[in-house]
Amino acid sequence: FNLPEWTNWGKLFVDGLLAAIIGLIWFLPAIGISVALLGPTLLTLFAGETVAAGALVGAGALSGFIIFFILFLLTSYVVPAAVMVYVSEGRFGAGFDFKLILSKAFSGSYFIAWMLAFGTTVIMNTAFMIIATLLGYLGITGVIISWIIQGFILYISLMIIFALYGEGFSEA
């Protein structure tokens, strides 16, 4: 994968917006299931029910969270592959070509790229948190400086992460 030319900003914006919509659509099942499982649990909790109901609320919340976490993790793993298929095919519908997406996503090279991207995310976010904490001692000036630094760190992180996804995807 090569980066697109930095021309025709309108098309780049629309392509990025469509990629974000693809990701959102992929996440809808996880969101829907979590609302279905955790919604009644939270309603029972806020209704001030008895201790027995509280135990059921806790069990429901725990099972709902575990199911949501598994779905969220699986979707987080597959979405970059869906976006890469969309980018390589140039069609919005390609972001939902399950056979092609899953064949790419469950390859060894994509898995390694995803793990490296995850590690990069953890390292870059940790670095930012340390910097932001230290700059926080400067008061509002430090907060503003940390926001500016955060923009640079986010940009660099995303460039590295999507380069890794592209490499892993193209080798799959």
mmCIF file of all heavy atoms in Angstrom, residues 124-163:
data_model
loop_
_atom_site.group_PDB
_atom_site.id
_atom_site.type_symbol
_atom_site.label_atom_id
_atom_site.label_comp_id
_atom_site.label_asym_id
_atom_site.label_seq_id
_atom_site.Cartn_x
_atom_site.Cartn_y
_atom_site.Cartn_z
ATOM 1 N N MET A 124 2.737 4.627 22.392
ATOM 2 C CA MET A 124 2.513 6.042 22.096
ATOM 3 C C MET A 124 1.562 6.675 23.110
ATOM 4 O O MET A 124 1.774 7.812 23.537
ATOM 5 C CB MET A 124 1.984 6.213 20.674
ATOM 6 C CG MET A 124 2.966 5.775 19.600
ATOM 7 S SD MET A 124 4.494 6.715 19.586
ATOM 8 C CE MET A 124 4.070 7.986 18.429
ATOM 9 N N ASN A 125 0.508 5.957 23.505
ATOM 10 C CA ASN A 125 -0.421 6.505 24.497
ATOM 11 C C ASN A 125 0.237 6.637 25.864
ATOM 12 O O ASN A 125 -0.010 7.603 26.582
ATOM 13 C CB ASN A 125 -1.680 5.657 24.595
ATOM 14 C CG ASN A 125 -2.610 5.881 23.428
ATOM 15 O OD1 ASN A 125 -2.566 6.911 22.770
ATOM 16 N ND2 ASN A 125 -3.454 4.908 23.148
ATOM 17 N N THR A 126 1.074 5.680 26.213
ATOM 18 C CA THR A 126 1.798 5.767 27.483
ATOM 19 C C THR A 126 2.738 6.965 27.471
ATOM 20 O O THR A 126 2.806 7.721 28.448
ATOM 21 C CB THR A 126 2.578 4.466 27.747
ATOM 22 O OG1 THR A 126 1.658 3.371 27.760
ATOM 23 C CG2 THR A 126 3.319 4.534 29.068
ATOM 24 N N ALA A 127 3.448 7.142 26.361
ATOM 25 C CA ALA A 127 4.348 8.298 26.250
ATOM 26 C C ALA A 127 3.568 9.595 26.386
ATOM 27 O O ALA A 127 3.991 10.524 27.096
ATOM 28 C CB ALA A 127 5.084 8.256 24.911
ATOM 29 N N PHE A 128 2.414 9.673 25.724
ATOM 30 C CA PHE A 128 1.625 10.895 25.826
ATOM 31 C C PHE A 128 1.133 11.124 27.246
ATOM 32 O O PHE A 128 1.150 12.258 27.735
ATOM 33 C CB PHE A 128 0.433 10.886 24.866
ATOM 34 C CG PHE A 128 -0.479 12.044 25.119
ATOM 35 C CD1 PHE A 128 -0.081 13.328 24.785
ATOM 36 C CD2 PHE A 128 -1.688 11.862 25.748
ATOM 37 C CE1 PHE A 128 -0.891 14.416 25.060
ATOM 38 C CE2 PHE A 128 -2.504 12.940 26.022
ATOM 39 C CZ PHE A 128 -2.110 14.221 25.682
ATOM 40 N N MET A 129 0.682 10.076 27.923
ATOM 41 C CA MET A 129 0.183 10.252 29.293
ATOM 42 C C MET A 129 1.284 10.760 30.216
ATOM 43 O O MET A 129 1.039 11.609 31.072
ATOM 44 C CB MET A 129 -0.417 8.951 29.821
ATOM 45 C CG MET A 129 -1.775 8.654 29.214
ATOM 46 S SD MET A 129 -2.638 7.276 29.993
ATOM 47 C CE MET A 129 -1.629 5.907 29.492
ATOM 48 N N ILE A 130 2.500 10.254 30.040
ATOM 49 C CA ILE A 130 3.614 10.727 30.862
ATOM 50 C C ILE A 130 3.896 12.194 30.576
ATOM 51 O O ILE A 130 4.042 13.011 31.494
ATOM 52 C CB ILE A 130 4.867 9.850 30.622
ATOM 53 C CG1 ILE A 130 4.632 8.444 31.180
ATOM 54 C CG2 ILE A 130 6.101 10.493 31.236
ATOM 55 C CD1 ILE A 130 5.675 7.428 30.762
ATOM 56 N N ILE A 131 3.947 12.534 29.279
ATOM 57 C CA ILE A 131 4.205 13.929 28.901
ATOM 58 C C ILE A 131 3.092 14.842 29.414
ATOM 59 O O ILE A 131 3.351 15.910 29.978
ATOM 60 C CB ILE A 131 4.358 14.044 27.363
ATOM 61 C CG1 ILE A 131 5.640 13.345 26.903
ATOM 62 C CG2 ILE A 131 4.341 15.499 26.911
ATOM 63 C CD1 ILE A 131 5.740 13.153 25.400
ATOM 64 N N ALA A 132 1.841 14.427 29.231
ATOM 65 C CA ALA A 132 0.711 15.255 29.669
ATOM 66 C C ALA A 132 0.708 15.434 31.178
ATOM 67 O O ALA A 132 0.400 16.523 31.678
ATOM 68 C CB ALA A 132 -0.601 14.635 29.202
ATOM 69 N N THR A 133 1.062 14.394 31.908
ATOM 70 C CA THR A 133 1.111 14.490 33.366
ATOM 71 C C THR A 133 2.173 15.491 33.799
ATOM 72 O O THR A 133 1.929 16.346 34.654
ATOM 73 C CB THR A 133 1.399 13.111 33.998
ATOM 74 O OG1 THR A 133 0.356 12.218 33.611
ATOM 75 C CG2 THR A 133 1.471 13.197 35.503
ATOM 76 N N LEU A 134 3.347 15.393 33.187
ATOM 77 C CA LEU A 134 4.423 16.319 33.535
ATOM 78 C C LEU A 134 4.070 17.749 33.151
ATOM 79 O O LEU A 134 4.320 18.686 33.914
ATOM 80 C CB LEU A 134 5.733 15.886 32.872
ATOM 81 C CG LEU A 134 6.302 14.550 33.355
ATOM 82 C CD1 LEU A 134 7.521 14.160 32.524
ATOM 83 C CD2 LEU A 134 6.647 14.612 34.841
ATOM 84 N N LEU A 135 3.471 17.919 31.963
ATOM 85 C CA LEU A 135 3.089 19.264 31.537
ATOM 86 C C LEU A 135 1.920 19.811 32.353
ATOM 87 O O LEU A 135 1.743 21.028 32.437
ATOM 88 C CB LEU A 135 2.738 19.272 30.043
ATOM 89 C CG LEU A 135 3.922 19.131 29.096
ATOM 90 C CD1 LEU A 135 3.442 18.968 27.665
ATOM 91 C CD2 LEU A 135 4.863 20.322 29.220
ATOM 92 N N GLY A 136 1.147 18.926 32.945
ATOM 93 C CA GLY A 136 0.030 19.361 33.781
ATOM 94 C C GLY A 136 0.473 20.193 34.964
ATOM 95 O O GLY A 136 -0.290 21.021 35.478
ATOM 96 N N TYR A 137 1.706 20.012 35.393
ATOM 97 C CA TYR A 137 2.231 20.793 36.508
ATOM 98 C C TYR A 137 2.457 22.254 36.127
ATOM 99 O O TYR A 137 2.665 23.096 36.986
ATOM 100 C CB TYR A 137 3.533 20.183 37.042
ATOM 101 C CG TYR A 137 3.307 18.863 37.740
ATOM 102 C CD1 TYR A 137 3.787 17.675 37.215
ATOM 103 C CD2 TYR A 137 2.604 18.813 38.939
ATOM 104 C CE1 TYR A 137 3.572 16.459 37.854
ATOM 105 C CE2 TYR A 137 2.379 17.610 39.590
ATOM 106 C CZ TYR A 137 2.870 16.446 39.040
ATOM 107 O OH TYR A 137 2.646 15.258 39.675
ATOM 108 N N LEU A 138 2.420 22.556 34.831
ATOM 109 C CA LEU A 138 2.599 23.935 34.379
ATOM 110 C C LEU A 138 1.281 24.711 34.339
ATOM 111 O O LEU A 138 1.244 25.845 33.907
ATOM 112 C CB LEU A 138 3.233 23.961 32.978
ATOM 113 C CG LEU A 138 4.619 23.352 32.841
ATOM 114 C CD1 LEU A 138 5.064 23.385 31.390
ATOM 115 C CD2 LEU A 138 5.619 24.093 33.730
ATOM 116 N N GLY A 139 0.206 24.052 34.737
ATOM 117 C CA GLY A 139 -1.094 24.709 34.724
ATOM 118 C C GLY A 139 -1.710 24.693 33.338
ATOM 119 O O GLY A 139 -1.449 23.795 32.528
ATOM 120 N N ILE A 140 -2.497 25.701 33.035
ATOM 121 C CA ILE A 140 -3.223 25.742 31.768
ATOM 122 C C ILE A 140 -2.272 25.789 30.575
ATOM 123 O O ILE A 140 -2.549 25.217 29.517
ATOM 124 C CB ILE A 140 -4.232 26.920 31.731
ATOM 125 C CG1 ILE A 140 -5.156 26.812 30.518
ATOM 126 C CG2 ILE A 140 -3.510 28.259 31.706
ATOM 127 C CD1 ILE A 140 -6.113 25.677 30.572
ATOM 128 N N THR A 141 -1.138 26.416 30.728
ATOM 129 C CA THR A 141 -0.155 26.467 29.642
ATOM 130 C C THR A 141 0.325 25.059 29.303
ATOM 131 O O THR A 141 0.429 24.689 28.137
ATOM 132 C CB THR A 141 1.054 27.349 30.043
ATOM 133 O OG1 THR A 141 0.582 28.633 30.412
ATOM 134 C CG2 THR A 141 2.055 27.454 28.912
ATOM 135 N N GLY A 142 0.573 24.267 30.321
ATOM 136 C CA GLY A 142 1.002 22.884 30.107
ATOM 137 C C GLY A 142 -0.079 22.053 29.453
ATOM 138 O O GLY A 142 0.205 21.204 28.600
ATOM 139 N N VAL A 143 -1.332 22.298 29.827
ATOM 140 C CA VAL A 143 -2.451 21.564 29.222
ATOM 141 C C VAL A 143 -2.543 21.889 27.739
ATOM 142 O O VAL A 143 -2.696 21.001 26.896
ATOM 143 C CB VAL A 143 -3.775 21.893 29.954
ATOM 144 C CG1 VAL A 143 -4.962 21.318 29.206
ATOM 145 C CG2 VAL A 143 -3.733 21.379 31.380
ATOM 146 N N ILE A 144 -2.430 23.161 27.395
ATOM 147 C CA ILE A 144 -2.499 23.567 25.988
ATOM 148 C C ILE A 144 -1.334 22.969 25.205
ATOM 149 O O ILE A 144 -1.528 22.441 24.095
ATOM 150 C CB ILE A 144 -2.530 25.103 25.871
ATOM 151 C CG1 ILE A 144 -3.852 25.621 26.442
ATOM 152 C CG2 ILE A 144 -2.341 25.544 24.422
ATOM 153 C CD1 ILE A 144 -3.910 27.123 26.599
ATOM 154 N N ILE A 145 -0.148 23.000 25.775
ATOM 155 C CA ILE A 145 1.013 22.401 25.107
ATOM 156 C C ILE A 145 0.800 20.897 24.929
ATOM 157 O O ILE A 145 1.122 20.336 23.879
ATOM 158 C CB ILE A 145 2.309 22.690 25.901
ATOM 159 C CG1 ILE A 145 2.645 24.182 25.849
ATOM 160 C CG2 ILE A 145 3.476 21.872 25.358
ATOM 161 C CD1 ILE A 145 3.748 24.606 26.795
ATOM 162 N N SER A 146 0.228 20.230 25.942
ATOM 163 C CA SER A 146 0.013 18.785 25.824
ATOM 164 C C SER A 146 -1.010 18.474 24.742
ATOM 165 O O SER A 146 -0.911 17.454 24.072
ATOM 166 C CB SER A 146 -0.400 18.177 27.172
ATOM 167 O OG SER A 146 -1.708 18.533 27.511
ATOM 168 N N TRP A 147 -2.019 19.340 24.541
ATOM 169 C CA TRP A 147 -2.983 19.129 23.455
ATOM 170 C C TRP A 147 -2.289 19.204 22.099
ATOM 171 O O TRP A 147 -2.576 18.418 21.200
ATOM 172 C CB TRP A 147 -4.096 20.157 23.510
ATOM 173 C CG TRP A 147 -5.078 19.965 24.625
ATOM 174 C CD1 TRP A 147 -5.257 18.837 25.380
ATOM 175 C CD2 TRP A 147 -6.003 20.920 25.110
ATOM 176 N NE1 TRP A 147 -6.242 19.045 26.316
ATOM 177 C CE2 TRP A 147 -6.725 20.322 26.168
ATOM 178 C CE3 TRP A 147 -6.301 22.234 24.779
ATOM 179 C CZ2 TRP A 147 -7.715 20.974 26.874
ATOM 180 C CZ3 TRP A 147 -7.300 22.884 25.481
ATOM 181 C CH2 TRP A 147 -7.994 22.267 26.513
ATOM 182 N N ILE A 148 -1.382 20.157 21.966
ATOM 183 C CA ILE A 148 -0.643 20.293 20.704
ATOM 184 C C ILE A 148 0.225 19.062 20.479
ATOM 185 O O ILE A 148 0.238 18.480 19.389
ATOM 186 C CB ILE A 148 0.203 21.583 20.718
ATOM 187 C CG1 ILE A 148 -0.729 22.804 20.733
ATOM 188 C CG2 ILE A 148 1.156 21.625 19.517
ATOM 189 C CD1 ILE A 148 -0.026 24.105 21.029
ATOM 190 N N ILE A 149 0.920 18.634 21.507
ATOM 191 C CA ILE A 149 1.759 17.442 21.410
ATOM 192 C C ILE A 149 0.904 16.219 21.103
ATOM 193 O O ILE A 149 1.289 15.364 20.304
ATOM 194 C CB ILE A 149 2.582 17.251 22.704
ATOM 195 C CG1 ILE A 149 3.623 18.366 22.816
ATOM 196 C CG2 ILE A 149 3.255 15.881 22.727
ATOM 197 C CD1 ILE A 149 4.346 18.388 24.145
ATOM 198 N N GLN A 150 -0.281 16.150 21.721
ATOM 199 C CA GLN A 150 -1.172 15.022 21.475
ATOM 200 C C GLN A 150 -1.534 14.927 19.997
ATOM 201 O O GLN A 150 -1.600 13.829 19.440
ATOM 202 C CB GLN A 150 -2.435 15.145 22.314
ATOM 203 C CG GLN A 150 -3.388 13.983 22.110
ATOM 204 C CD GLN A 150 -4.673 14.139 22.898
ATOM 205 O OE1 GLN A 150 -5.033 15.241 23.303
ATOM 206 N NE2 GLN A 150 -5.366 13.045 23.123
ATOM 207 N N GLY A 151 -1.757 16.058 19.350
ATOM 208 C CA GLY A 151 -2.063 16.048 17.921
ATOM 209 C C GLY A 151 -0.935 15.432 17.103
ATOM 210 O O GLY A 151 -1.178 14.610 16.214
ATOM 211 N N PHE A 152 0.293 15.803 17.422
ATOM 212 C CA PHE A 152 1.440 15.235 16.713
ATOM 213 C C PHE A 152 1.587 13.738 16.998
ATOM 214 O O PHE A 152 1.846 12.952 16.088
ATOM 215 C CB PHE A 152 2.738 15.976 17.083
ATOM 216 C CG PHE A 152 2.837 17.340 16.492
ATOM 217 C CD1 PHE A 152 2.766 18.459 17.293
ATOM 218 C CD2 PHE A 152 2.992 17.506 15.124
ATOM 219 C CE1 PHE A 152 2.846 19.730 16.740
ATOM 220 C CE2 PHE A 152 3.073 18.766 14.563
ATOM 221 C CZ PHE A 152 3.000 19.888 15.371
ATOM 222 N N ILE A 153 1.425 13.359 18.252
ATOM 223 C CA ILE A 153 1.551 11.947 18.608
ATOM 224 C C ILE A 153 0.461 11.128 17.931
ATOM 225 O O ILE A 153 0.721 10.042 17.412
ATOM 226 C CB ILE A 153 1.528 11.762 20.147
ATOM 227 C CG1 ILE A 153 2.831 12.292 20.742
ATOM 228 C CG2 ILE A 153 1.320 10.300 20.522
ATOM 229 C CD1 ILE A 153 2.892 12.262 22.257
ATOM 230 N N LEU A 154 -0.761 11.649 17.904
ATOM 231 C CA LEU A 154 -1.854 10.938 17.245
ATOM 232 C C LEU A 154 -1.573 10.775 15.754
ATOM 233 O O LEU A 154 -1.741 9.685 15.197
ATOM 234 C CB LEU A 154 -3.178 11.678 17.462
ATOM 235 C CG LEU A 154 -4.411 11.052 16.820
ATOM 236 C CD1 LEU A 154 -4.661 9.667 17.406
ATOM 237 C CD2 LEU A 154 -5.617 11.938 17.023
ATOM 238 N N TYR A 155 -1.122 11.835 15.109
ATOM 239 C CA TYR A 155 -0.818 11.769 13.675
ATOM 240 C C TYR A 155 0.275 10.736 13.400
ATOM 241 O O TYR A 155 0.123 9.871 12.531
ATOM 242 C CB TYR A 155 -0.393 13.153 13.168
ATOM 243 C CG TYR A 155 0.016 13.154 11.728
ATOM 244 C CD1 TYR A 155 -0.940 13.120 10.726
ATOM 245 C CD2 TYR A 155 1.361 13.174 11.367
ATOM 246 C CE1 TYR A 155 -0.571 13.115 9.387
ATOM 247 C CE2 TYR A 155 1.738 13.168 10.032
ATOM 248 C CZ TYR A 155 0.771 13.147 9.054
ATOM 249 O OH TYR A 155 1.140 13.132 7.748
ATOM 250 N N ILE A 156 1.353 10.806 14.150
ATOM 251 C CA ILE A 156 2.465 9.866 13.948
ATOM 252 C C ILE A 156 2.013 8.435 14.236
ATOM 253 O O ILE A 156 2.323 7.509 13.485
ATOM 254 C CB ILE A 156 3.665 10.264 14.848
ATOM 255 C CG1 ILE A 156 4.264 11.591 14.354
ATOM 256 C CG2 ILE A 156 4.726 9.157 14.862
ATOM 257 C CD1 ILE A 156 5.231 12.223 15.343
ATOM 258 N N SER A 157 1.257 8.251 15.322
ATOM 259 C CA SER A 157 0.766 6.912 15.673
ATOM 260 C C SER A 157 -0.081 6.331 14.554
ATOM 261 O O SER A 157 0.094 5.170 14.162
ATOM 262 C CB SER A 157 -0.070 6.954 16.947
ATOM 263 O OG SER A 157 0.683 7.334 18.044
ATOM 264 N N LEU A 158 -1.021 7.122 14.041
ATOM 265 C CA LEU A 158 -1.900 6.611 12.991
ATOM 266 C C LEU A 158 -1.137 6.310 11.703
ATOM 267 O O LEU A 158 -1.454 5.340 11.012
ATOM 268 C CB LEU A 158 -3.051 7.592 12.739
ATOM 269 C CG LEU A 158 -4.070 7.675 13.866
ATOM 270 C CD1 LEU A 158 -5.098 8.756 13.583
ATOM 271 C CD2 LEU A 158 -4.755 6.329 14.090
ATOM 272 N N MET A 159 -0.148 7.112 11.379
ATOM 273 C CA MET A 159 0.662 6.828 10.187
ATOM 274 C C MET A 159 1.396 5.491 10.348
ATOM 275 O O MET A 159 1.420 4.670 9.430
ATOM 276 C CB MET A 159 1.666 7.956 9.927
ATOM 277 C CG MET A 159 1.017 9.272 9.554
ATOM 278 S SD MET A 159 0.086 9.182 8.024
ATOM 279 C CE MET A 159 1.384 9.200 6.846
ATOM 280 N N ILE A 160 1.976 5.275 11.523
ATOM 281 C CA ILE A 160 2.689 4.019 11.783
ATOM 282 C C ILE A 160 1.715 2.843 11.774
ATOM 283 O O ILE A 160 1.958 1.814 11.136
ATOM 284 C CB ILE A 160 3.437 4.087 13.138
ATOM 285 C CG1 ILE A 160 4.575 5.107 13.071
ATOM 286 C CG2 ILE A 160 3.973 2.709 13.529
ATOM 287 C CD1 ILE A 160 5.186 5.435 14.424
ATOM 288 N N ILE A 161 0.603 2.996 12.474
ATOM 289 C CA ILE A 161 -0.362 1.901 12.620
ATOM 290 C C ILE A 161 -0.939 1.494 11.266
ATOM 291 O O ILE A 161 -0.990 0.309 10.931
ATOM 292 C CB ILE A 161 -1.465 2.303 13.624
ATOM 293 C CG1 ILE A 161 -0.889 2.331 15.034
ATOM 294 C CG2 ILE A 161 -2.661 1.372 13.532
ATOM 295 C CD1 ILE A 161 -1.763 3.041 16.041
ATOM 296 N N PHE A 162 -1.371 2.466 10.479
ATOM 297 C CA PHE A 162 -1.974 2.101 9.201
ATOM 298 C C PHE A 162 -0.933 1.630 8.193
ATOM 299 O O PHE A 162 -1.254 0.840 7.303
ATOM 300 C CB PHE A 162 -2.869 3.217 8.669
ATOM 301 C CG PHE A 162 -4.226 3.169 9.311
ATOM 302 C CD1 PHE A 162 -4.524 3.940 10.414
ATOM 303 C CD2 PHE A 162 -5.179 2.283 8.850
ATOM 304 C CE1 PHE A 162 -5.757 3.863 11.029
ATOM 305 C CE2 PHE A 162 -6.425 2.184 9.461
ATOM 306 C CZ PHE A 162 -6.710 2.982 10.554
ATOM 307 N N ALA A 163 0.313 2.058 8.329
ATOM 308 C CA ALA A 163 1.378 1.487 7.496
ATOM 309 C C ALA A 163 1.566 0.008 7.857
ATOM 310 O O ALA A 163 1.730 -0.842 6.969
ATOM 311 C CB ALA A 163 2.681 2.259 7.685
#
